[in-house]
Amino acid sequence: MRRNILFSGLVLFGSAFLGGCEVHLLSSSDSCASELFLEDGFLFFGCEEEQEESSFAGLGPCSARTNGYCDSDRDSVPDDVEGLGDSDGDGDPDCEDPDSDNDGLSDGFEAGPSPRRPVDSDGDGAEDFRDPDSDNDGLSDADEGALDTDGDGIEDFRDDDCDDDGLSDADEGLVDTDGDGVEDFRDEDSDDDGLSDADEGLVDTDGDGVEDFRDEDSDDDGLSDADEGLVDTDGDGVEDFRDEDSDDDGLSDAEEGLGDEDGDGIVDSKDDVFDGDESVAGDDGSDGGFIDTRPQACSCEGDGRARGTLLASLALMMPFGLARRRRRLG
C-alpha cells in the first residue's frame, strides 16, 4: 500500500518535471476518506490507496527498473537515492545521469555493492558517485581510475596511498619523475634509483627543494643514491645515500669517489683503510687512524729549492761514504 495524494476536483501538482525521473501527480478521487497528514516536511490533505510503484516516494510511475526498484538511467542506483540534483552541472538530473560526477566511472560502480547505501569513501557527506575526488587526496577520480595499483582490494580512486609506499598520493602527485610512464603516486621507486620511495621518504637531505624520493643524489655528493645505497658504513645512523662522509674518515665522499685505490673491492668512499696497514707514528688520524698511501700533492713551498737542498746534502755525504769504503778495502 503506497500513499497517493488526492484532492477533490483539484490538481495541485502537475507534471512539472517530465522525463526519466517521475514527479508528483495529485488527482481527485472519491475512493477513500481524506485526511490531513505531514510527509517529508509538507502538509498534505489526502488518503491512502493502492498505487503503482514510483521512482521516488510519492512520484509517478517508473520508466525503468533495476532489481525491482525504479532506475531511470539504468545505472543500478535507485532514482530515490540519486535524486533530482545535478552533481556535475551537465543539465541532466543525477537520476537520469549514469555518471553523475562526470569522472568516467559509472554511478553503479562508484556506489559500491549496496546501491541503496552508496559508499562515501572520505566521509565528506558526498557519496562517491557524486564526488569527483572520492578519497579526498587532491587527485581526481578521473585521474586515479578504477585500477588497484597495490592490490589491496581498494580501487585507486578510493585509496589515498595507491602504491602502498607510506607516502600519500597527495604528496606524490601526478608527476612522473623518472619518465617511465608511471605517475609517482603509483610508482614505488619514483626516481628509479633502486631505493624505494618508502626508504627514501619525504625528507630533503641536501635542501635542494627536491624530496629524497624524487632525488637521485639525496646528499648532493656527486655519487648517485643507487651507488651509495641503504647501508650505513660508519654506523652513525645515517644511510650512505644521505651521508656526505660515509666512512667517517674526514674525507668527503665527493673527494674519495667510487674508485678502489687499494684494490680490496671496497670503494674509497666507504673504505677508511687504503693500504690495509694499521696506523703508525706520524699518522694524523685524518683517515680513521690509518695511513692513506694514495699519491698526495706536495704541500711544500719552493719545490725547486727543496730538490736543490736534497742534492747538496747528498753531495756532502758522498766523500765520507767513499773514505769509509777505502778504509775497509785497505
Side-chain angles (χ1 to χ4, degrees), residues 37-49:
F37 62 90
L38 185 68
E39 181 177 287
D40 295 331
F42 294 94
L43 189 65
F44 294 102
F45 182 75
C47 64
E48 292 186 349
E49 67 176 20

Side-chain angles (χ1 to χ4, degrees), residues 68-95:
Y69 51 77
C70 293
D71 180 15
S72 298
D73 54 7
R74 296 178 172 86
D75 61 0
S76 82
V77 184
D79 285 353
D80 59 353
V81 172
E82 293 186 289
L84 290 170
D86 181 10
S87 296
D88 55 9
D90 63 355
D92 295 324
D94 291 350
C95 64

Side-chain angles (χ1 to χ4, degrees), residues 97-175:
D97 191 344
D99 183 5
S100 296
D101 55 3
N102 196 31
D103 61 0
L105 307 176
S106 75
D107 292 352
F109 178 70
E110 293 188 282
S114 301
R116 283 201 169 277
R117 297 177 181 80
V119 175
D120 177 11
S121 294
D122 55 10
D124 64 353
E127 305 96 329
D128 291 355
F129 77 87
R130 303 185 207 271
D131 193 341
D133 182 8
S134 296
D135 54 4
N136 196 32
D137 62 359
L139 309 184
S140 74
D141 295 351
D143 286 320
E144 294 184 290
L147 297 174
D148 178 12
T149 297
D150 54 10
D152 63 354
I154 303 173
E155 302 92 342
D156 290 354
F157 78 93
R158 304 187 206 269
D159 193 342
D160 56 11
D161 182 7
C162 290
D163 54 2
D164 196 31
D165 61 0
L167 311 182
S168 73
D169 295 346
D171 286 321
E172 295 187 284
L174 293 171
V175 298

